[in-house]
Amino acid sequence: MNPARTDARRLHDPDLRGFASDNYAGAHPEVLAALALANGGHQIAYGGDTYTEGLQQTIRSHFGGTAEAFPVFNGTGANVTALQALTDRWGAVICADSAHIHVDEGGAPERMAGLKLLTVPTAHGKLTPELIDREAFGWDDEHRAMPQVVSITQNTELGTVYTPDEIRAICDHAHGLGMKVHLDGARIANAAASLDVPMRAFTNRVGVDILSFGGTKNGMLYGEAVVVLNPDAVSHLKHLRKMSMQLASKMRFVSVQLEALLAKDLWLRNARHANEMAQRLADGVRSVPGVEILHPVEANAVFARLPHAVSERLQQRYRFYFWDEAAGDVRWMCAFDTTQDDVDGFLAALKEEMARQ
């Protein structure tokens, strides 16, 4: 092949960063290098390539000898495909009312998978066995969707982290009721970094049946994976992935990115750095009078409450989102490429805007 060239134009400032989402970050250079490594020549399409085959051993090194990875395009696709594999046509999924599958997926689990979400209010985004019991009933009632799955998010949408013992209690309780457990791991690496344990410590070791493994928020260009941890719990995942429009023809380019993250410690390095930047941000915010941190800062997210007008002015300088605009709640996210200077500059801007009240 000829040396790489392009007629594309750079249309953004590569030094510009904000705190809106870890999805805003680009791809890690090691991931881009892996994509180049997998390019060239011909490889079997639809997952028959050597990179997808090799990924399986890497996945098993993290999640046990029975684990199997099914690469997909995105997180919603991973969740919808995984939940379909655990439920019957009449099935329902119990989840927190803040869960991504309920709040941020456009109704895809219900529209595309045809299942019912049974949501429960939680403190800081975390389910417990007692909270699960609020919706875990009516299995023989033909008038009610049948609870078949408990879905939890690690770390949660509110930036909190389940301990392995907390997830074990949920799995034991759900399995005791005849239900299965799905873990939405869009930020699973951040949770492992926060807990300082391997990912298996709060997944296959404690009873999780299936996992949506997130890579995009942690340095990949695109792509996630459904990871089957308990083969006896799932049904026809290969066919469901295709039906859900999540089967990549050139799958090697998803698989090699996952390999780049997981083969050694890139996944952990990226997550630790993002978490550390969030802690630096939270420490600085706590010193600003009039700004309240709303949830424990346990991963790479900081949720805060401050005057609405201040947030609007601050958004002109740094991108971030309101979480609950009526209440004045905002979310600040850190990514693998957030720098100390980014955090310190944001804190200085926050102090300036608060002083203008």
Side-chain angles (χ1 to χ4, degrees):
M1 296 178 65
N2 293 326
R5 63 173 299 277
T6 181
D7 293 320
R9 296 172 296 139
R10 173 168 280 164
L11 301 176
H12 78 293
D13 179 355
D15 295 321
L16 181 65
R17 284 180 290 271
F19 295 87
S21 173
D22 37 9
N23 281 322
Y24 277 39
H28 193 280
E30 292 181 37
V31 171
L32 292 177
L35 284 165
L37 186 72
N39 197 26
H42 287 201
Q43 280 283 298
I44 300 171
Y46 301 110
D49 60 276
T50 56
Y51 294 95
T52 302
E53 179 183 1
L55 173 64
Q56 301 306 325
Q57 188 56 45
T58 300
I59 285 289
R60 292 181 187 118
S61 73
H62 287 280
F63 298 106
T66 62
E68 184 176 5
F70 293 79
V72 296
F73 289 115
N74 55 49
T76 296
N79 287 335
V80 169
T81 304
L83 293 174
Q84 285 183 94
L86 298 178
T87 53
D88 294 311
R89 186 67 181 85
W90 50 88
V93 175
I94 298 172
C95 63
D97 62 359
S98 58
H100 199 272
I101 58 174
H102 174 55
V103 175
D104 288 306
E105 294 186 347
E110 294 173 316
R111 292 172 183 242
M112 303 299 294
L115 51 83
K116 173 67 175 174
L117 297 179
L118 303 172
T119 64
V120 181
T122 66
H124 305 304
K126 295 168 70 172
L127 286 175
T128 65
E130 294 74 23
L131 291 175
I132 290 167
D133 281 343
R134 293 188 182 185
E135 292 290 351
F137 63 89
W139 288 276
D140 293 326
D141 183 355
E142 67 269 31
H143 301 289
R144 188 172 195 269
M146 182 186 292
Q148 292 186 317
V149 177
V150 173
S151 180
I152 60 175
T153 311
Q154 177 76 318
N155 45 273
T156 74
E157 287 76 15
L158 300 180
T160 54
V161 175
Y162 288 94
T163 67
D165 286 343
E166 287 172 332
I167 296 181
R168 184 188 298 276
I170 288 170
C171 291
D172 288 348
H173 190 67
H175 292 155
L177 295 172
M179 295 190 292
K180 302 165 186 175
V181 178
H182 163 255
L183 189 146
D184 180 350
R187 296 184 176 94
I188 187 173
N190 300 92
S194 176
L195 294 166
D196 196 25
V197 299
M199 292 180 287
R200 70 179 70 91
F202 55 84
T203 54
N204 55 298
R205 281 187 180 174
V206 297
V208 173
D209 295 298
I210 198 167
L211 161 71
S212 298
F213 179 88
T216 306
K217 292 176 171 64
N218 197 32
M220 284 174 53
L221 183 65
Y222 70 95
E224 320 280 295
V226 177
V227 180
V228 176
L229 303 176
N230 176 11
D232 295 331
V234 304
S235 177
H236 301 292
L237 185 55
K238 179 174 72 172
H239 301 284
L240 288 167
R241 178 174 58 175
K242 176 66 173 181
M243 287 177 59
S244 300
M245 298 171 284
Q246 290 293 316
L247 180 64
S249 57
K250 296 184 180 181
M251 196 179 296
R252 59 170 151 162
F253 295 113
V254 182
S255 298
V256 76
Q257 292 181 77
L258 291 163
E259 179 74 14
L261 275 187
L262 292 169
K264 292 188 178 178
D265 67 345
L266 180 59
W267 66 277
L268 187 57
R269 283 187 278 128
N270 285 354
R272 278 179 174 162
H273 177 78
N275 289 2
E276 288 168 1
M277 293 302 98
Q279 288 295 333
R280 184 181 185 91
L281 177 58
D283 290 344
V285 168
R286 290 187 184 99
S287 69
V288 182
V291 182
E292 176 189 1
I293 292 180
L294 300 174
H295 304 289
V297 180
E298 296 176 346
N300 64 323
V302 179
F303 290 81
R305 180 173 295 162
L306 62 160
H308 191 279
V310 172
S311 291
E312 287 190 321
R313 292 197 303 269
L314 194 57
Q315 284 177 324
Q316 302 305 309
R317 304 171 67 172
Y318 289 88
R319 288 193 67 99
F320 62 89
Y321 291 114
F322 280 101
W323 189 255
D324 182 343
E325 189 165 3
D329 299 350
V330 298
R331 185 190 73 168
W332 298 319
M333 296 296 305
C334 295
F336 76 89
D337 62 348
T338 302
T339 68
Q340 292 186 8
D341 287 344
D342 294 332
V343 173
D344 294 346
F346 180 79
L347 288 169
L350 173 63
K351 292 173 183 177
E352 289 173 10
E353 297 300 342
M354 287 296 292
R356 288 178 56 190
Q357 292 190 87

